[in-house]
Amino acid sequence: METNVTIKKLSNRFPGAIIETHSHRGDDTAVVKKESILEICTFLRDDEALLYNFMMDLTVVDYLGREPRFEVVYHLFSLRHNRRVRIKARVSEADAIIDSIVPVWVGANWFEREAFDMYGITFKGHPEMRRILLYEGFEGHPLRKDYPIKKRQPLIGPIN
Amino acid sequence: MGVTFGKESASRRIVPGGTVSDGPERLLDGSAILTRLQAAVNWGRKYSFFLYPFVTACCGMEFMSVAGPKYDLDRFGAALPRFSPRQADLLMVVGTISHKQAPILVKVYNQMTEPKWVFAFGVCAVSGGFYNNYSVVQGIDTLIPVDVYVPGCPPRPEMVLDGLLKLQEKVAKERWSDWPRGAAPVTPMLKKQE
Ligand code: SF4
């Protein structure tokens, strides 16, 4: 089975939007521009040779000190072709906003809310962009690398 | 049918300053027990705890063990778990309490009728344990008054039994004026948040 078919297809279709790619032992990865994430995901889902119909995971990595600071990571799986791909989109701290992929895969809904909750990345076009695990009134985004480890939140009481 | 006394007890000689009996009941010739009402009530309370198991995490396994036949909390009169806080008087906080659960814990505490006691089971409930992070309450005593702290991750059943005996000692020394304790101190704060 040809492994990097996804990368080839992507590079042909979106030559300007792919920043870099690599394919290590069958693990295809493409770093893409965040502006075209919605377009690329729609293509990956609908193209006959790809058919990535399963959005397995969506998460964020915080590379503190690097610019752009965040990387939103999408893990996709094609049940039809038994193939995986990893898409990354870099997001800067000053403009921590990216298009929501809920219109492409509804399953991304809670993943994006979790990413918002923990990293403070806003997903534009998400139907309900609010915290999912933490409570309303929580200040900050605790999985950011600069969240103070000893920070206490106001809900609890006078001693804490 | 009247009360009959044994021959021996009826004929027992009372020697002033003697060692036959050392309480005032000897004046009544062993036929009565004198105590303070408070002590009698405390004695009754300490041997009939009704637990409310507020079990949230892995310590629950150890709680099941200590409540089961091997270690058998029933030996100390604390057998019956009540799953309504209204019917319980010992709140067992077993496991990690996250900030999101904190209002629930306070509500359960406030719903229990007095007199009531709180047992912090495991280091998570005692102090947050190694979860020194954004999501975990750093000790339930920041929310509600606690009577016994049993650390350990999880505590051995023997430690839990020891804690229960300590609680019994504490209950035995209580006074009427210790009750009621009232609502948890953080209650107004939580109300404001709502
Ligand atoms: S004290 Fe240890 S065993 Fe108990 S709830 Fe915490 S982590 Fe789990």
Side-chain angles (χ1 to χ4, degrees):
Chain A
M1 191 175 78
E2 202 182 359
T3 50
N4 54 2
V5 51
T6 313
I7 292 184
K8 276 188 195 142
K9 279 224 147 211
L10 273 181
S11 317
N12 288 341
R13 180 74 203 281
F14 303 98
I18 309 293
I19 298 168
E20 62 182 81
T21 64
H22 63 261
S23 180
H24 178 68
R25 294 179 184 273
D27 260 351
D28 291 349
T29 304
V31 183
V32 307
K33 285 205 175 123
K34 72 167 188 177
E35 289 76 19
S36 28
I37 188 74
L38 202 54
E39 224 182 327
I40 288 174
C41 286
T42 314
F43 171 75
L44 287 169
R45 183 192 63 181
D46 292 339
D47 188 89
E48 276 304 315
L50 303 174
L51 290 176
Y52 283 101
N53 49 2
F54 183 11
M55 206 260 355
M56 300 191 76
D57 191 20
L58 188 162
T59 186
V60 179
V61 186
D62 179 1
Y63 294 99
L64 186 61
R66 200 167 94 177
E67 192 50 45
R69 177 173 164 186
F70 299 103
E71 216 166 53
V72 186
V73 187
Y74 305 82
H75 290 251
L76 311 178
F77 181 59
S78 165
L79 290 162
R80 180 69 163 278
H81 300 292
N82 188 18
R83 201 180 281 141
R84 289 162 203 276
V85 69
R86 186 184 302 124
I87 306 291
K88 297 180 178 180
R90 290 179 182 149
V91 176
S92 72
E93 186 179 359
D95 183 28
I97 186 161
I98 188 169
D99 283 328
S100 165
I101 57 158
V102 174
V104 188
W105 295 285
V106 273
N109 188 320
W110 285 10
F111 289 91
E112 291 186 346
R113 279 178 67 187
E114 188 190 4
F116 168 71
D117 202 354
M118 296 293 162
Y119 292 95
I121 308 266
T122 309
F123 292 83
K124 202 166 75 202
H126 188 286
E128 197 186 9
M129 191 81 275
R130 61 185 178 89
R131 292 188 182 276
I132 186 169
L133 295 173
L134 299 168
Y135 46 89
E136 298 300 327
F138 192 97
E139 288 163 9
H141 301 281
L143 289 196
R144 285 191 174 195
K145 294 281 179 258
D146 54 1
Y147 182 88
I149 195 163
K150 292 237 187 287
K151 184 174 157 106
R152 297 285 169 251
Q153 293 290 330
L155 176 73
I156 291 313
I159 314 164
N160 222 346
Chain B
M1 226 172 76
V3 181
T4 49
F5 295 108
K7 209 177 185 181
E8 218 172 79
S9 116
S11 62
R12 192 186 324 141
R13 280 183 53 227
I14 297 168
V15 186
T19 53
V20 180
S21 157
D22 52 0
E25 57 265 38
R26 68 192 182 128
L27 295 173
L28 294 166
D29 203 16
S31 63
I33 298 172
L34 294 186
T35 179
R36 284 168 305 137
L37 181 59
Q38 186 177 287
V41 168
N42 284 348
W43 179 84
R45 282 177 179 171
K46 78 176 195 178
Y47 290 122
S48 84
F49 289 125
F50 285 79
L51 319 180
Y52 180 88
F54 195 94
V55 180
T56 57
C58 20
C59 266
M61 296 297 135
E62 214 63 29
F63 176 73
M64 290 168 210
S65 159
V66 79
K70 183 158 182 191
Y71 291 96
D72 199 6
L73 270 181
D74 197 11
R75 290 180 292 162
F76 309 98
L80 202 59
R82 310 304 302 173
F83 295 105
S84 159
R86 303 277 188 211
Q87 302 168 351
D89 59 6
L90 176 57
L91 178 60
M92 296 285 254
V93 184
V94 182
T96 324
I97 303 297
S98 69
H99 286 213
K100 232 178 159 177
Q101 269 171 329
I104 303 167
L105 179 65
V106 172
K107 189 171 237 171
V108 166
Y109 176 82
N110 286 342
Q111 282 178 342
M112 288 169 65
T113 48
E114 310 233 10
K116 55 188 167 187
W117 299 275
V118 178
F119 193 111
F121 188 120
V123 75
C124 283
V126 170
S127 69
F130 47 76
Y131 296 113
N132 184 3
N133 63 19
Y134 63 91
S135 63
V136 174
V137 174
Q138 300 298 298
I140 57 165
D141 53 5
T142 58
L143 304 166
I144 55 179
V146 177
D147 294 281
V148 207
Y149 297 85
V150 177
C153 178
R156 300 253 337 140
E158 293 86 344
M159 294 169 67
V160 180
L161 297 181
D162 194 39
L164 189 74
L165 296 182
K166 288 269 189 309
L167 180 61
Q168 290 183 344
E169 279 169 30
K170 182 175 177 180
V171 171
K173 287 193 210 119
E174 271 170 3
R175 296 159 176 276
W176 298 129
S177 55
D178 293 342
W179 303 104
R181 279 177 179 173
V186 295
T187 311
M189 288 191 75
L190 294 177
K191 281 235 176 75
K192 225 185 322 164
Q193 290 273 344
E194 275 162 15

